[in-house]
Amino acid sequence: HVYRYLFNGIGRGSFVSPFIYPLGLDCVTLGSYSSINRNTRLMAIKSWEGQLFQPNIYIGDNVSVGLGCTLSCVNSIYISDDATLGDNVYVADSHHGFSDVKISIRDQSLLPGEVYIGKGAWLGYGVFVAGNIVIGEHAVVGANSVVTKSVDPYTVVAGAPAKLISRYNPQTKQWEKVETEALS
């Protein structure tokens, strides 16, 4: 209940475990009837190595963020209504630069992007998402997948890097397997 005063906003009926690792909660908005489970890191990063940011993490209504997840934001992470993040999912809207080989990667600039997770999407256990990524509505990302490119709505992707596995066909109302292909 202490978090209610630290977040930018929390909707009715939402639950935030008292055992999270918070940073910049004033940049985090949580919708109604959503949950953030224990050991999750909510990191709205406002500065890094001299860079200044205005992060915004928005988590919609009826969203479940599993155990031990990380949401690392310097610009924008938007999680739409009814999305589910399984345990140990990592979502970051940035990458470290690595252009100057004389400087440690950790000490180089962060390259901001935006992450958008669509309505009803499901990210399975251990999924990794980073950079400028859109995961379409009702998309499914298989466990331990690495998402480096956007995912179309109503598709199933899996692997490292994630590849298209199946697609929902609205005519037959069936999920249809496709030949494995890289995401575009």
Side-chain angles (χ1 to χ4, degrees):
H1 298 338
V2 168
Y3 289 131
R4 184 162 303 281
Y5 302 105
L6 299 176
F7 276 75
N8 182 45
I10 295 182
R12 180 178 176 182
S14 286
F15 168 77
V16 178
S17 169
F19 305 106
I20 65 168
Y21 301 95
L23 176 67
L25 288 181
D26 59 317
C27 299
V28 180
T29 303
L30 180 63
S32 296
Y33 305 104
S34 293
S35 63
I36 299 174
N37 287 290
R38 80 174 39 233
N39 296 329
T40 289
R41 291 167 184 80
L42 288 178
M43 303 185 319
I45 301 167
K46 297 178 184 176
S47 65
W48 178 264
E49 298 295 321
Q51 290 178 278
L52 298 177
F53 302 105
Q54 294 180 324
N56 180 37
I57 299 175
Y58 176 85
I59 301 169
D61 296 339
N62 199 36
V63 171
S64 177
V65 177
L67 299 166
C69 291
T70 298
L71 301 179
S72 177
C73 178
V74 299
N75 186 33
S76 176
I77 294 176
Y78 188 101
I79 303 173
S80 299
D81 297 347
D82 304 315
T84 301
L85 278 61
D87 296 344
N88 297 318
V89 169
Y90 181 92
V91 177
D93 67 350
S94 62
H95 292 288
H96 280 275
F98 57 92
S99 60
D100 189 341
V101 295
K102 295 178 179 130
I103 300 174
S104 164
I105 290 175
R106 183 193 69 228
D107 296 331
Q108 294 192 42
S109 297
L110 288 177
L111 307 173
E114 294 182 12
V115 173
Y116 177 88
I117 298 172
K119 179 177 175 60
W122 177 42
L123 282 61
Y125 178 94
V127 167
F128 176 91
V129 176
N132 230 1
I133 303 290
V134 173
I135 296 177
E137 67 180 38
H138 298 284
V140 176
V141 181
N144 296 313
S145 294
V146 176
V147 179
T148 58
K149 296 183 179 173
S150 291
V151 176
D152 289 337
Y154 297 94
T155 58
V156 176
V157 301
K163 294 184 181 349
L164 181 63
I165 303 297
S166 61
R167 179 178 285 122
Y168 185 76
N169 182 331
Q171 282 83 28
T172 63
K173 297 186 178 173
Q174 301 277 328
W175 289 90
E176 298 174 351
K177 190 171 181 149
V178 298
E179 292 298 318
T180 303
E181 59 186 69
L183 301 176
S184 54

